[in-house]
Amino acid sequence: EVTKFKGKLGVVNATKVALDEIKRNIPSTVMVGSVVKLTDIVPLSTIKSKVENEFSGKFSEEVVKGNLNAVERGFQEVQIDG
């Protein structure tokens, strides 16, 4: 069916990336990285810095690193159409 949608559509296997990087089925940081690429409004470095600042001290270094990797992979692996 043809629609009038004129925007971009992005697809990423966020669950797999989350399981690979943070060992839990919590794909939110992966999706953040994907949205950053789709919208091109905020630099990826700004988001990664924010994630690091918010997560450090609350979570182990391993969890922080995993979430930073998840953001990066979401950005790199999203497939964009449109």
Side-chain angles (χ1 to χ4, degrees), residues 12-26:
V12 65
N13 192 341
T15 298
K16 180 186 180 314
V17 173
L19 291 171
D20 287 350
E21 297 297 340
I22 62 174
K23 313 299 184 237
R24 297 185 68 190
N25 186 10
I26 305 174

Side-chain angles (χ1 to χ4, degrees), residues 18-69:
L19 291 171
D20 287 350
E21 297 297 340
I22 62 174
K23 313 299 184 237
R24 297 185 68 190
N25 186 10
I26 305 174
S28 54
T29 52
V30 181
M31 297 304 296
V32 168
S34 298
V35 169
V36 167
K37 187 165 189 175
L38 277 165
T39 60
D40 196 29
I41 295 172
V42 179
L44 180 62
S45 59
T46 299
I47 297 301
K48 289 175 76 173
S49 178
K50 184 71 172 172
V51 167
E52 186 167 21
N53 290 339
E54 290 295 320
F55 286 24
S56 293
K58 296 178 186 172
F59 300 103
S60 70
E61 186 175 324
E62 179 182 3
V63 169
V64 174
K65 183 178 178 190
N67 277 279
L68 291 170
N69 291 342

